[in-house]
Amino acid sequence: MSKYEILYIINANASDDAKQAVIDKLESIVTGNGGTVENIDKWGIKKFAYTLSDYSTEGYYVLMNFEADENVPALLNRQVQIMDDAKRCMIIKK
């Protein structure tokens, strides 16, 4: 198992329940595949450096540190791509 961190952006206009649903879903993917979540740091709403293609200018940033098998980052990336409320993500192996 390797250590990773994922920084993902949730739609700033989403409700608090929808934001928490995204956080819970990504956490459950890690734990459901035998990994452990070390911590989740909610940074809050921050402005983007540039406007995205859907004309959004800010997003809700969340940083999650976790330990998991090598296939889990690909699962997380795919899940973020198909979620409506998630905008972008970046996964780094520590």
Side-chain angles (χ1 to χ4, degrees):
M1 294 235 257
S2 300
K3 291 188 177 203
Y4 298 93
E5 73 178 22
I6 178 173
L7 177 66
Y8 54 96
I9 306 170
I10 302 172
N11 186 356
N13 298 328
S15 68
D16 290 339
D17 291 336
K19 290 174 188 170
Q20 190 61 45
V22 171
I23 294 167
D24 292 342
K25 177 68 175 176
L26 296 178
E27 182 180 5
S28 69
I29 290 173
V30 172
T31 57
N33 286 290
T36 57
V37 175
E38 294 174 4
N39 68 334
I40 297 176
D41 189 13
K42 300 172 186 173
W43 291 1
I45 295 178
K46 305 252 183 223
K47 287 201 174 273
F48 297 145
Y50 54 89
T51 304
L52 297 183
S53 61
D54 64 350
Y55 301 107
S56 56
T57 58
E58 58 187 16
Y60 187 83
Y61 284 71
V62 180
L63 176 70
M64 179 172 67
N65 292 301
F66 63 97
E67 188 173 353
D69 290 331
E70 294 179 4
N71 64 336
V72 174
L75 296 172
L76 290 171
N77 192 26
R78 171 137 171 78
Q79 188 63 40
V80 168
Q81 289 177 355
I82 62 175
M83 284 181 152
D84 291 333
D85 286 328
K87 297 266 185 206
R88 306 263 170 104
C89 76
M90 182 171 59
I91 304 171
I92 298 172
K93 185 175 181 180
K94 290 183 170 185

